[in-house]
Amino acid sequence: YHYLIAQMFAQLGDDSQRLRAGDDADDARWWTLEEIEAASSAEQVSQNVVDVVNRAEELYQAQQLLG
C-alpha cells in the first residue's frame, strides 16, 4: 500500500459554508489543535502532524503563509 497524507491550512471566513465529505470519504470535519495533540498522544495521528500544524500557525502569525 502507498499512502499520501495531505495537510492543509485554511482560514474559515464564513460559517455558512459547511465542510462536508465528498464521495471519497465517510466524514469530514475541522480539528482544533487540541484535538490533533490529543490524537497524537493516543497515537492516532503522527507527531509530525502536530509539528506541521504548529509550523503553519507560526507562519500564519508572521503573515508568511497566506498571500
Side-chain angles (χ1 to χ4, degrees):
Y1 293 96
H2 177 80
Y3 296 95
L4 173 66
I5 299 173
Q7 299 163 350
M8 302 182 72
F9 186 87
Q11 182 177 11
L12 185 60
D14 184 355
D15 289 341
S16 68
Q17 295 187 1
R18 300 184 47 96
L19 178 66
R20 61 180 185 267
D23 62 357
D24 62 339
D26 292 331
D27 188 24
R29 69 181 186 92
W30 298 111
W31 289 51
T32 66
L33 178 56
E34 291 77 20
E35 290 172 318
I36 296 169
E37 289 171 337
S40 177
S41 294
E43 297 184 356
Q44 296 171 334
V45 300
S46 168
Q47 174 60 40
N48 291 339
V49 174
V50 177
D51 297 341
V52 168
V53 171
N54 282 326
R55 181 64 178 143
E57 181 64 25
E58 290 171 7
L59 292 171
Y60 178 75
Q61 293 299 326
Q63 297 180 350
Q64 296 179 357
L65 190 60
L66 300 175

